[in-house]
Structure formats: C-alpha cells, structure tokens
Amino acid sequence: MANLTKSELVRNFGTPFGVLELVSQLIRHPKDDYELGSGDSKVVFTNREVKALVDDFQRNNLLGDKILDLENPSNYRPLYNSILLFANKQKESSIPDRETRENILRAYQTHLEEVDQKTTNPKVEINAYNESVRRAQKYWQTKNLLDSRVAQALEPLTRSGSASSGYIRQMQNSLIAELSPALHNIDTTDPVKAQAQTKALLDQAVANSPTWRALQNTLVAEGQDVDHITTNLSTLLNNERFSKSDTDENLESLANINKQHGLTPTQAKDELQNTINSWQKETGVGRDNPNSLGNDLVKSLHSATIDALESPSLSDRFIKKDPFEVRALRNAITPELIKKYNLTQVDQDRLIEAALNHPSTGTYFARITNGLEPSAGDLPDILGLRPASLVSHIAKNSGVDPLIVTLTRSGYSGEQLASQLLKSGYSPSDIKSQLDNLQKYLGENHGLIDSVYKSRLAYDQAVLKIKTALSPQNIPIIRNVYGAVTSVRESISTAYNGFLNNHRTIAFFLSSDHRLASWGGWISKIATNKNLPQWLKTGLTWYKNGGYSYEGFIGSAKTHFRIKFGNWLVKQGAKIGGEKLAGKFLAWVGAGLVAGSLSGGASFAIQAGLWVMQQAKRAPEAIKNADVIAGWVLKNIAGLAMLMGIAGPTILGAIIGFSVALVSFFLIGFSLPLWGVLMIGTALGALLGYLYSQAGAIAGWASTALGSAGALVSAWWAGFVNSVGATISSIATTSIVVAVGGITLSMSLGNDAIITSKIETGTIGASVVCDISGTTTNNPVANAAQCIYKALTDCKLNPLMIGGISSPKWQCVIAALKPFEGAVSQLETSQFTDGWPTTEKHLQCVGLAAASAGPGFPQVNACMYASYKVEGYKYLVGCPNMQSGDLFIMGVDECGDKTVGHIGVVINPDAGGQKFTCVDANATGPGIVRPDSGTSGCFYAKSLISGCLRKK
Amino acid sequence: MNKYLSRKNLIIFSIGIILLGTLILLPMSYRPIPITIEATTPLDKSTQNSVMINPQIQFNKSILASDISIASSPDENWTINQVDKQTISLSHKKYLYLNTKYVLTIKYLDQVVSIYTFSTAPGQTDPRFLQQVQDKMDAQYPLMGETPRFTQGYSLVYSAPLTLEITILDSKITPSDIILQAKAWVTQNGLAPDSHQYKIAQPATKK
C-alpha cells in the first residue's frame, strides 16, 4: 500500500471543513470504517483505529474550542500533524519529511489568505454589484425610452389602419435598429456635450435612415400626412427629457455595449459559462470533492442563471429577486439536515432569511461556531419576530393598558388577574371596562391576533428547533450552512460582476429585445374584429356544454402538475405512435417535463398557459352568461395587446405551435379530444417560441425565416379557420387569446408570480396585478390609492407625465385599475398644470386624490376642499379620529391664488404617535406618486395638516 | 485807483475767480455714464414664469455683485451671484410663490437703478408650500421617518413636536435607563440628546 500523496492530503485536509468533515464523521459514526484517499493510496480506518484517533485527539487536547477555530493555522497545525501521523502510522510508513509538511501547510495558509481577502471585504464586492445593477437598469431605461419613442412616432400610422401590422412592425424594428447605434457613439465624458450629441446624432440617424425614407415614400403614395409623422418622430426623439436622461453613466454604458453589438445569445451564454468556470477554478468550489456542498451550489447557480437568461422578463427575475442566493441556500439545507433535525419549512425559511438579510447574522453564526451561547437578543432579531411587539400592538390599537394585555397573556386565572390589577391600583369598574375593551378588540381583530399568536407559536418552535440544531455537537453542520452563505455571497458577487459588467451579456439582452417586436397591432386587430364577440360566445357555449376536461393534470403544486402533465403527454405520444413525428415530439416534451430538464422558460410557459386555460374553464361555470365572458375578454384585450410588445417570440411560437398541434390533430385522426389538442398546441407553442427566441443564436437568417414562417402560418391559419367553420374557429381563437395571455403573463410575471400571486378576475391579462390582500386597510379609497401607486410604478409610468397617458404603457394602467371605478378617467383628467419647474406637464396631487376617491370627485386646488362642497364628503377641521381613506388637506389657512396647499390619501392613521402614512402625488417632484411605506414614502405629522375630507 | 482795486489785487482776484471756477466747473464737466439694466431673464414684466427660475440681470457696464442690493415685494431672501463682469443672477432658497407678481428694486451702491417685475405661473401644485411643510417636519419631528421605534426594552413615538413618548416593554429596565437608551439613539441619528423631550407613557385610566 502506497503512502498518502501530497495532493490527497491537500484534497482531504486542505480546508478547515475537510478536517471538520473527517472529525465529525469519525465522531458521529464511530462504528463505521472510514476511507481516506483512493486507489493505491487509499487508507481505511477501522472502527478500532477511529477510536484510537479520537482518543489521540483528546489526549492532545485537539477537540473542543480549538477545533472551532481552525482558520487559525496554529490550531490547525497540530491537528493536521496528528491526523497525518496517525494515518501514516496505520500504513506503517514514515511521516513526510519536514519540507513536505511545510509545503502543505504553506499551501493551506495561502488558501486561507485568499479566502480571507475575498470574504473580509464584502463591501467592495457589494458596491461593485450594486454598480453593475445600476448600470444595467440605466441601460434598460434608455433602451425602453428609445423603443417607446419610436412606437409613439409610428402611432399615427398604426391608428390610421392604412398600413399592415406587419409593415409597421418591420418599420419599427428597422428604425430602432438604425437609431440605436447612434446612441452608442456619444462622448460620455461630458454630460452637456453628450446631450447635444444625442440630439445631433439622432437627427442625423433619422435623416440618413433608409427605413425612414422608404416609409416616407410609402406614406406619400398612400396619401398620409408625412410631415406630421416626421415632425412627430423628430420631436419625440429630441425631447428634452430624453436627452437629459441619457447623460453620464447611462451613455457610458451604451457606448460599451456598442462595441460588441453583434454578439449572439449563445456567445453571451458561453461567456457566462466561462465566468462560472473561472470562478470554480479560482475558488475550488465544486471541484475534487463530488460530495461537497459547493458542487450543488455551482449547479444551482448555473441552472438558475440559464433559467434567468431564457426569460424575457430577465431584468425582473434576475436583477431584482436574486434567485440564486435563495435557491443555493435552500440546497445548503440538505434533506439529511432536514430529516435529522426535523426542520419544518418555516424553520428552513427562517434560517435562509436570517442568513440572507440580517446584519447580525455573521456575528451570530460566528458566536455559535466559537462555542458561545447566542445573546438573548440575537434570535428574535434574526427571526424577525419580537414577542414584546404583540403586547405593544394590541395595547396601542385597543387603548388597553399594556400591563393588562400582558397579564391576560400570562395564563392567570380570572381571580389572579383581578387580584394583580387591584394591587396595581385599578378600580373594579376600570378593570371591567378595560377587559371589555380588550375582548372587543380581540373579537374584532380575531384574524390579526390569531395570525400574530400563530407567528408567536411558530417563533417559539423555531427558536427551540434552531437552538437544537445549533447546539455545539452540530457545529460542523452549522458551519457548513454558514460556509455556504459566504461562498454563495462570494460566488454571486463574482458572477454578477462578471455577468453584468460584460458588454457581451448586455448585447445579448439588446439583441433579444430587438426580436421582441411589437405584436400589438396584430392583437389589436383580433380585438377589434367585429366577429370576435360571436366567436367567443359560440366557443364558450360549446365549452360550457361539455368540453374536454383536463382535471387531474393541474395540481396545486407545480411539480405535481409538471410530472402529471408530462406523463400524460408521453402517453399521448405513445398513442399516436412512436414512429410518427408528432408522437415522438409529444413523448420528448413529456419526458422533458417529467425530468424537469426542459428550460425554465418553456416549462413555465406551458404551465402558465394551462393555468390560464383552467381559469377560462372555470369562468363559464361561475358566470353563466356568455355575453359577460365575451365582454370580459374583450375588455382585457387591451392589456394583452400591451403585453404583446414583451413576448413577441413566444406569441409567434404559440401560433406556430398551435398550428402544428392542429396538424397533429389530423395526423392522429381525431383520436385526441379537441381540448387536448389545444393544450398540446399551447405546449408546442411555448416550446417553439423558445426555439424562435434562440434562433438568432444560430444565424441571423433563422430569425427572418421563422418570422416569415410565422406570417405564412398566420395566413394558413386564417384560411383554415374560414374553411373549418365557426365552431372550431371560435374555440381556436379563444384558445389563442387565452394561451397567449397565459404565456405572456407567465413571461412578464415570472414563474413564482404566476403560481403564487392572487390574480383577480378584473385584472387577468394585465401585466400588473394589484393584490391588496396583504394591506392593512379595507377602505376602498385607501386601497385604490395603493393600487394606483402600484399600477403606475409597475407599468413604468411613475412619475406620471402627460405623455404617459397617450403611451402604450397606459393600457397596462387601465387594465390594472379596472376594479376601481373612475380611477383611470380621473387620472386622465388631472389638470396636469405646472407648479414644479418642468417643461412637461404632469399629474397633480388632486388628480391622485380624485382617482382614489372615484367618479364624481371634483378636482380643485387642494386647500379649497375645506370650503368646497363635495358630494358625499364632509370636511373635518384637524381631522379628529383620523381614519384610513380620509383625504388629508394641508394649507387651508394660507389658501389663495398664491398657495394652493396639498392633498393625499390616508392609509394608516395610526403609524405611531403623531405619525400617519399616506399615498400622495407631486409632493417631492413633478408627477411622482409616493407609496405609504419606506423612508421616501408619504408620511406626515397629524399636527401639520389642516383637516380632512371624510365620507359621510 | 482805489487801493482795493489795485492792479495787483485785481490780478490776484481774477486768478482766484478762475481757480474757483475751475474747481467748481471741472467736476461738472465730467459726466459719468449712468448705470442701467441692459437685459433681464426673464424679461421685464413677463408672466407665466416658473417658481424655480433664477432671474439674471445684465448691466450696461462692469459691476461687482457686492455693490448690488435688491429689495423685493413680496419679500424674498435673494442671494446675488456674479455671473460675469456685467451680469448677476438672483437665487433663492425657497421656491417662489405661485401666481405672484414680484417687484424687484435693483440698487447699485444704494442708488436705485431700476424696478424690475415678473410674475410666476399659477398651478395646482405648490412647491413652496410643500417645502415649508417639510421644513416644519424636519424642525419639529426630525426623526419621524425612524419612528415608531421598537426595541426589546421599549417602544418610542412622537407624541408632540420634539417630544418622544416612550412605552416601557421590559419591566426590569428602569425609566431612567430607558431614557438614556433613547438619548443614545437620538445621538446616533446625529442630533443632540437634549434636542428632544422624553416622556414615559403612563398606563391608561389608572386611578
């Protein structure tokens, strides 16, 4: 048997975790043999030898505190020597010579220094990461602005209806492609110069644009008002706001992107893979030890990144939500850990949350890993739960003395309670009155109190379990979790930096975005087709009377559904026959779903499409009147149309896929029920959509070819519809609309959102869903105000300038605010007059207040509401007993032509002492709507308001 | 000849008269170019101006900003800045009033040079008022954004301007210790501990 080699020693003992792993295994499994090394150099520790080793550690005082501080080489060295001595003694070999041992130790020390360097200065990495995110976001802002400006410029043409949607789309794409490079040549070192250059370069680009010239010729031929459209484009491009927003780092970022403008998505992905590979190489994570935690982290990081890359809503899922870290931390809590410590989902979430968010996490874990008890304040802080806050909350909101609330929660009998309170100086009548108040409050707030108590219970359990899990004998495991946190933070920082700073990556976004051409015109045509209501009515009637049920394929858990549906597809594939193309294809898709190996984007889209279909299936059951359903779909078409601009390739895929599904329909001789075919169409559509989105990676012509194919299929589809007849066409059209809605919804919201968010009937089809279930108020005016903020922000129209209400994004706002009668029209009719120094008119505070209050609420200068009679409202001086939904008024005393005051909507009237929170507009800058939370949110002292308008 | 009208005296008298005349008339013959305003932004008597505008005044000759003073109606705290040799700009810390005619009396070395007027635009939003509200918030409730504050031992809110009300949540800690903790927190936020009053909340309806 050969000696242990140097590399094997380094591999197995090269890190503190390696040593810990060995020691903990030896301690935990004293009856097992333990293998070290491999092949000829393998050493087997028998049970007896293991015991001897442990004894040796103990004799040399190598366990206990020292084992916990292995980063200190002086502690590590004797342990290392001891293990080495022991191992080689077992092999009857001599210890490596001094030089070898020193070399090993030196290598390890270098490694530690590198790790220290990377982990002790996280601020630098975080700053770099934040900078990357900021640059990426700036880039997107500019890019979206250009796209929307071009779309706005072509709007008159779209509206005129004289040009085909395909022609407009082609023009739009070409124009954007021609104008974008101009932005990349701007000198970013001088913002003032950059502004001037932006204007000049865009003017030049417009003047030299062959697309624009061709368009002008066409317009002339069609008798259009060319001058008007040209002026429109020029004005929009040269708008002051555009040039102002394009300075500094924004332009610098664009200039960098330009250098690699032609990069394909595949190259961008390769680049990312290289980044990850080099990170692996540098850190050693994931190498050598196949069972290491690092390996899982790398896999997780890689797959999460690729998922994110494949999603059109990449910026949301990738930049904002940090999926990697959460996912990797979930992996860090292994099934073995969960089983061993019986960790519930809540426990795991708390650990992850603690690791991710709390600033004292590091201290906490450090303390634990050094064998010290956590301080009393650590766990509640880390877990985010404070028992004392419950008493405080109830006392504050019920008006009952905190002492009484505390005592009632202490398990006292009525007699004991009364005795305590009498001793505290309460009279019997006071005690009764206080307890009555408390009982009333608890009764009225049962849900809240219940949930807080449950939180408290969960907290107690979590503390107990985590304390158990963090007990000294489990230190090695905890260290692994903490090690994972450090590794993940480091890896994410490196990967983000590499990824976001890489101009090729951003060029990938750019090229993808170019392909996401607007299909708004196409969907609008469907929406405005006079036959659509009849199609929908016929289709829904047919469906109501017995369509194909696919119950069983949709489970509450997405995994359950995926596997079920995947198996079903495999089965259908087998039915069709293994040799037939459609059969093979179905089997392939099904197997991919079961194995979970389909790309994230594709599987999300499939699930989401089916989910929406499921909703559509339920709709007629709930609402018997087909007219209502038809009206609902029609009203929401606007939202769908807006979304078309986001997920063009997927929609094309859906069309192709749907058409392919119908071919399959004939191939299999009508053996599949129609709804099954529709589902397959959706699935194939999503898949082909994905393939289409990747087409540009293969070759430029592929994109064009698929685009042409899409047009042909569309034409074929139209002919098919006409020939098959009204019934089929109605179902098919409905399905396309629904499937497209689902797919786009899934792409714009991301998988988690589609699975977990509450989507209300009134808002389906819109990209923005205002879920008010988590809000603290049930007041409709307060809810409306919160939703207006959310809608404007999520639809990228906060601040709301006057141009916003004529932009395509306004359709998003309209869809999102559907549940709030009058909100949209009130926003649209806001005076948009200037108070702030800006050249662009914008939403006023009274516009926001009126939109929250609903139809009929007049819009006058804010301070005038004190004397202006508003139907259904009364003005209360000082706003006594302030309530959620009150419209607070400021500046009544100074009211006049020169001072118009301010108005907003009260959300939480009791945010602590004098403070109340609110939603308002225009208080901190032109058109800005502020939310009711956050340090830059809307809050005031009650003493600073003049009064409020309250509903009678 | 009269002894007073001797030739010698006459000559002396004539020279005196000439010298006196020269002394009187010479300065009168030097007529300095009077200082005037050549141009303004915004234009004199203009309307619909932004409440944020910083007026600029160009004189007909070189001046020093320190020699210029402004009296304005309504009263405004103007800061006079030198733009170039002949031009000054007037800045102001507060947004101007909405829909207001400003009458500025421009003085050079305390001598009135010109009266300059312009009006601001009306509007539904009043930046100056909002600025004043925020100033009041900052002065009276400087830590409002940080409240309510909860710690393990106490909670804290504003009950009145510059008055923090503390509810003790841990009966083991004395009120004086809690106030010390609250003061430390105020200090951490960059304010003097004595900038606020501290009140311990009393139990309700206790007899």
Side-chain angles (χ1 to χ4, degrees):
Chain A
M1 194 179 281
N3 287 342
L4 276 174
T5 65
K6 177 180 162 186
S7 64
E8 281 165 343
L9 284 168
V10 171
R11 186 184 308 153
N12 287 284
F13 301 118
T15 68
F17 295 134
V19 178
L20 272 179
E21 192 177 42
L22 171 62
V23 175
S24 63
Q25 287 219 33
L26 295 178
I27 294 170
R28 278 183 293 161
H29 307 288
K31 290 180 181 172
D32 297 342
D33 293 345
Y34 184 75
E35 290 184 0
L36 182 63
S38 59
D40 283 347
S41 58
K42 186 164 75 179
V43 180
V44 178
F45 291 84
T46 65
N47 175 20
R48 186 178 55 80
E49 291 162 343
V50 166
K51 191 171 180 311
L53 178 60
V54 173
D55 288 345
D56 187 53
F57 290 160
Q58 283 171 342
R59 261 197 312 278
N60 291 294
N61 195 23
L62 292 172
L63 295 179
D65 287 351
K66 287 189 178 176
I67 208 169
L68 305 174
D69 191 14
L70 286 175
E71 282 86 350
N72 181 350
S74 65
N75 284 337
Y76 171 76
R77 183 196 292 260
L79 183 63
Y80 160 75
N81 283 339
S82 177
I83 293 171
L84 198 60
L85 177 69
F86 185 85
N88 286 298
K89 202 161 81 179
Q90 298 305 315
K91 288 150 45 83
E92 298 177 349
S93 303
S94 61
I95 303 171
D97 58 27
R98 181 187 170 82
E99 190 187 359
T100 309
R101 281 187 282 130
E102 290 296 331
N103 282 341
I104 293 170
L105 200 56
R106 207 171 295 123
Y108 174 57
Q109 280 172 327
T110 308
H111 170 73
L112 283 181
E113 280 164 14
E114 285 171 2
V115 170
D116 278 347
Q117 208 173 359
K118 283 176 184 166
T119 55
T120 54
N121 195 9
K123 206 171 177 181
V124 173
E125 296 188 357
I126 288 167
N127 286 343
Y129 159 66
N130 287 342
E131 174 64 15
S132 302
V133 171
R134 195 171 62 80
R135 284 177 55 188
Q137 286 171 337
K138 280 280 184 188
Y139 161 70
W140 275 99
Q141 283 169 8
T142 303
K143 182 67 185 59
N144 290 338
L145 199 57
L146 175 63
D147 290 356
S148 78
R149 287 283 148 78
V150 171
Q152 275 177 283
L154 292 176
E155 208 170 55
L157 187 61
T158 309
R159 268 207 305 267
S160 75
S162 62
S164 72
S165 59
Y167 179 73
I168 293 172
R169 190 172 61 253
Q170 190 190 337
M171 288 296 113
Q172 191 168 323
N173 284 345
S174 302
L175 260 178
I176 291 170
E178 285 170 8
L179 299 184
S180 290
L183 293 175
H184 303 155
N185 297 324
I186 291 163
D187 174 9
T188 61
T189 54
D190 180 349
V192 177
K193 207 185 285 175
Q195 281 185 31
Q197 274 188 323
T198 306
K199 285 185 178 182
L201 284 168
L202 283 174
D203 277 343
Q204 201 182 349
V206 171
N208 296 335
S209 163
T211 303
W212 193 246
R213 276 200 296 275
L215 181 61
Q216 283 177 318
N217 291 337
T218 310
L219 293 171
V220 171
E222 288 179 357
Q224 295 285 322
D225 183 356
V226 180
D227 288 344
H228 173 64
I229 296 175
T230 307
T231 309
N232 197 12
L233 178 68
S234 181
T235 308
L236 287 164
L237 289 177
N238 287 332
N239 184 291
E240 188 182 1
R241 183 172 161 219
F242 180 71
S243 53
K244 270 185 183 166
S245 70
D246 271 342
T247 54
D248 301 327
E249 66 282 308
N250 198 5
L251 292 175
E252 189 183 347
S253 174
L254 282 172
N256 286 335
I257 294 159
N258 183 45
K259 292 177 187 166
Q260 297 294 332
H261 184 49
L263 196 74
T264 66
T266 302
Q267 285 168 311
K269 272 201 212 176
D270 288 346
E271 193 67 26
L272 176 67
Q273 184 62 62
N274 290 338
T275 307
I276 292 172
N277 287 343
S278 83
W279 166 70
Q280 274 185 273
K281 202 173 170 186
E282 278 173 21
T283 60
V285 173
R287 286 189 308 146
D288 298 331
N289 183 355
N291 297 319
S292 79
L293 193 60
N295 233 10
D296 287 340
L297 298 185
V298 171
K299 281 182 201 159
S300 175
L301 177 67
H302 182 211
S303 96
T305 308
I306 296 300
D307 280 357
L309 271 174
E310 287 169 353
S311 166
S313 57
L314 183 142
S315 61
D316 279 348
R317 293 186 54 222
F318 182 63
I319 294 175
K320 290 180 188 165
K321 294 186 182 170
D322 280 5
F324 309 150
E325 196 163 7
V326 176
R327 197 162 153 175
L329 283 167
R330 281 207 188 286
N331 287 348
I333 303 177
T334 59
E336 288 78 13
L337 259 183
I338 293 167
K339 193 177 169 192
K340 186 175 173 77
Y341 295 101
N342 193 24
L343 296 174
T344 64
Q345 191 60 49
V346 173
D347 296 334
Q348 297 165 46
D349 288 345
R350 294 286 184 216
L351 272 174
I352 292 169
E353 193 183 335
L356 284 171
N357 296 331
H358 202 276
S360 67
T361 303
T363 316
Y364 176 73
F365 276 103
R367 196 178 286 147
I368 287 287
T369 50
N370 281 302
L372 301 172
E373 277 294 312
S375 74
D378 281 338
L379 276 176
D381 272 347
I382 286 175
L383 297 174
L385 290 165
R386 299 163 191 276
S389 64
L390 179 61
V391 172
S392 162
H393 178 90
I394 296 173
K396 196 168 64 182
N397 289 288
S398 65
V400 177
D401 183 353
L403 175 67
I404 295 181
V405 181
T406 308
L407 289 176
T408 55
R409 296 185 64 246
S410 304
Y412 282 4
S413 68
E415 198 179 345
Q416 289 168 322
L417 181 64
S419 163
Q420 285 283 335
L421 292 174
L422 286 169
K423 276 184 205 167
S424 302
Y426 281 88
S427 68
S429 60
D430 278 336
I431 296 172
K432 183 174 184 316
S433 143
Q434 291 264 309
L435 290 178
D436 283 348
N437 284 344
L438 179 60
Q439 192 175 4
K440 183 165 175 281
Y441 177 79
L442 293 180
E444 285 169 357
N445 296 278
H446 176 74
L448 172 69
I449 300 299
D450 193 40
S451 67
V452 177
Y453 269 99
K454 276 181 185 160
S455 296
R456 168 62 198 259
L457 191 64
Y459 157 74
D460 287 336
Q461 288 170 346
V463 168
L464 186 66
K465 286 185 178 170
I466 293 176
K467 266 191 171 172
T468 309
L470 302 186
S471 60
Q473 64 264 33
N474 299 321
I475 284 168
I477 294 158
I478 298 306
R479 288 199 62 140
N480 275 345
V481 174
Y482 183 46
V485 174
T486 309
S487 301
V488 169
R489 283 191 190 288
E490 184 184 326
S491 66
I492 286 170
S493 179
T494 309
Y496 270 152
N497 282 344
F499 185 69
L500 289 174
N501 280 333
N502 191 306
H503 43 255
R504 293 182 177 193
T505 307
I506 302 177
F508 162 66
F509 299 164
L510 191 71
S511 56
S512 294
D513 196 57
H514 282 173
R515 258 179 264 115
L516 300 181
S518 169
W519 283 70
W522 182 79
I523 281 293
S524 292
K525 289 214 168 176
I526 289 185
T528 52
N529 190 311
K530 61 183 184 202
N531 293 322
L532 185 60
Q534 189 53 45
W535 293 351
L536 293 175
K537 275 185 204 171
T538 312
L540 290 169
T541 306
W542 176 87
Y543 187 45
K544 192 169 68 179
N545 293 338
Y548 177 74
S549 166
Y550 53 95
E551 285 292 338
F553 296 112
I554 307 272
S556 57
K558 57 185 178 183
T559 306
H560 173 71
F561 162 72
R562 174 171 59 76
I563 292 172
K564 281 256 185 190
F565 181 54
N567 281 329
W568 181 83
L569 278 183
V570 172
K571 209 165 137 192
Q572 301 309 318
K575 262 191 194 174
I576 295 169
E579 293 306 311
K580 291 184 184 172
L581 181 64
K584 277 184 182 175
F585 194 62
L586 279 186
W588 177 75
V589 172
L593 276 173
V594 172
S597 59
L598 273 188
S599 74
S603 55
F604 295 165
I606 291 167
Q607 290 175 51
L610 285 162
W611 179 86
V612 173
M613 289 167 77
Q614 174 75 348
Q615 301 306 306
K617 177 173 177 285
R618 280 175 18 201
E621 289 166 10
I623 310 168
K624 301 289 182 192
N625 188 341
D627 286 339
V628 175
I629 298 290
W632 168 79
V633 175
L634 282 174
K635 281 179 187 171
N636 284 285
I637 284 291
L640 289 172
M642 194 282 302
L643 286 168
M644 295 305 99
I646 303 171
T650 312
I651 294 156
L652 174 59
I655 297 165
I656 298 172
F658 192 74
S659 307
V660 171
L662 283 167
V663 174
S664 307
F665 182 74
F666 290 112
L667 283 176
I668 61 179
F670 294 85
S671 66
L672 282 175
L674 184 56
W675 270 100
V677 174
L678 297 182
M679 283 197 296
I680 299 166
T682 311
L684 299 184
L687 193 67
L688 289 176
Y690 165 69
L691 292 175
Y692 171 76
S693 73
Q694 301 303 306
I698 305 162
W701 58 264
S703 175
T704 312
L706 270 174
S708 307
L712 285 172
V713 169
S714 295
W716 168 80
W717 170 242
F720 173 79
V721 166
N722 287 333
S723 63
V724 172
T727 301
I728 297 288
S729 70
S730 62
I731 298 303
T733 309
T734 308
S735 306
I736 286 181
V737 171
V738 171
V740 161
I743 292 162
T744 48
L745 200 60
S746 76
M747 289 306 182
S748 61
L749 294 181
N751 185 48
D752 289 343
I754 196 74
I755 298 299
T756 59
S757 69
K758 174 184 172 187
I759 298 187
E760 296 175 358
T761 309
T763 55
I764 194 164
S767 66
V768 174
V769 177
C770 182
D771 181 355
I772 54 174
S773 59
T775 55
T776 52
T777 171
N778 288 321
N779 182 281
V781 178
N783 285 344
Q786 287 176 302
C787 285
I788 290 168
Y789 165 75
K790 181 170 167 45
L792 290 174
T793 304
D794 291 357
C795 297
K796 315 289 183 207
L797 284 174
N798 190 7
L800 180 59
M801 314 306 277
I802 197 164
I805 62 172
S806 56
S807 78
K809 291 175 188 169
W810 192 243
Q811 297 305 319
C812 165
V813 176
I814 291 172
L817 294 182
K818 185 174 277 297
F820 303 101
E821 189 190 355
V824 170
S825 60
Q826 288 277 26
L827 289 173
E828 287 174 344
T829 52
S830 182
Q831 288 298 305
F832 287 92
T833 50
D834 291 332
W836 288 102
T838 172
T839 55
E840 195 166 6
K841 293 181 176 181
H842 49 270
L843 174 69
Q844 302 294 302
C845 60
V846 292
L848 181 275
S852 306
F857 193 94
Q859 295 191 28
V860 297
N861 286 349
C863 59
M864 289 175 64
Y865 285 110
S867 53
Y868 195 92
K869 189 168 171 54
V870 181
E871 184 100 15
Y873 282 82
K874 57 185 172 187
Y875 177 73
L876 300 171
V877 177
C879 202
N881 190 25
M882 181 185 271
Q883 294 170 13
S884 180
D886 284 351
L887 301 164
F888 72 84
I889 313 287
M890 289 172 154
V892 171
D893 290 345
E894 304 102 299
C895 197
D897 286 346
K898 295 175 183 174
T899 307
V900 296
H902 185 54
I903 186 171
V905 181
V906 174
I907 303 299
N908 181 3
D910 190 9
Q914 277 282 306
K915 183 177 180 179
F916 72 93
T917 65
C918 43
V919 170
D920 68 355
N922 230 17
T924 51
I928 293 173
V929 178
R930 292 192 297 174
D932 64 314
S933 59
T935 49
S936 57
C938 175
F939 60 84
Y940 287 106
K942 290 172 190 170
S943 64
L944 294 179
I945 64 168
S946 304
C948 61
L949 283 178
R950 182 172 299 160
K951 265 196 171 168
K952 287 178 185 170
Chain B
M1 280 178 86
N2 187 310
K3 64 176 179 182
Y4 296 105
L5 291 174
S6 67
R7 181 177 295 174
K8 186 181 171 188
N9 284 347
L10 195 60
I11 291 168
I12 291 169
F13 180 75
S14 299
I15 291 170
I17 291 294
I18 291 167
L19 283 174
L20 186 65
T22 306
L23 284 172
I24 293 170
L25 294 177
L26 192 61
M28 289 177 69
S29 67
Y30 173 70
R31 296 173 60 95
I33 303 168
I35 188 158
T36 57
I37 291 176
E38 285 213 330
T40 61
T41 309
L43 292 173
D44 190 25
K45 299 182 180 58
S46 61
T47 58
Q48 299 290 320
N49 291 300
S50 161
V51 294
M52 192 54 189
I53 194 158
N54 286 338
Q56 284 202 359
I57 302 167
Q58 188 189 340
F59 296 93
N60 61 334
K61 62 180 189 178
S62 296
I63 46 91
L64 288 175
S66 54
D67 293 338
I68 304 291
S69 58
I70 306 285
S72 92
S73 172
D75 195 22
E76 200 69 59
N77 187 12
W78 301 102
T79 302
I80 303 169
N81 313 292
Q82 187 96 39
V83 176
D84 58 38
K85 284 180 183 173
Q86 290 178 240
T87 312
I88 58 166
S89 73
L90 308 179
S91 58
H92 42 101
K93 285 189 179 171
K94 299 279 181 204
Y95 292 105
L96 301 180
Y97 292 101
L98 287 175
N99 198 22
T100 298
K101 182 178 180 182
Y102 277 84
V103 180
L104 273 56
T105 306
I106 318 291
K107 295 178 183 174
Y108 176 72
L109 296 173
D110 291 332
Q111 296 297 310
V112 174
V113 174
S114 178
I115 306 288
Y116 166 44
T117 65
F118 63 90
S119 299
T120 52
Q124 271 195 338
T125 296
D126 188 345
R128 185 179 183 116
F129 173 74
L130 291 164
Q131 210 173 16
Q132 286 166 344
V133 170
Q134 193 55 49
D135 288 349
K136 272 188 193 169
M137 282 274 285
D138 293 344
Q140 298 181 358
Y141 306 92
L143 300 174
M144 183 65 104
E146 308 295 322
T147 63
R149 170 174 165 77
F150 290 99
T151 73
Q152 287 212 319
Y154 67 92
S155 67
L156 174 152
V157 297
Y158 271 106
S159 60
L162 294 172
T163 305
L164 292 168
E165 184 179 82
I166 303 168
T167 302
I168 299 176
L169 303 176
D170 184 348
S171 58
K172 291 174 200 159
I173 310 176
T174 64
S176 54
D177 283 346
I178 292 280
I179 289 177
L180 279 177
Q181 287 184 33
K183 282 186 172 179
W185 174 71
V186 169
T187 309
Q188 274 172 20
N189 282 284
L191 298 171
D194 295 336
S195 61
H196 284 70
Q197 289 189 324
Y198 305 87
K199 286 186 176 174
I200 302 292
Q202 297 301 319
T205 65
K206 212 171 183 179
K207 285 189 176 176

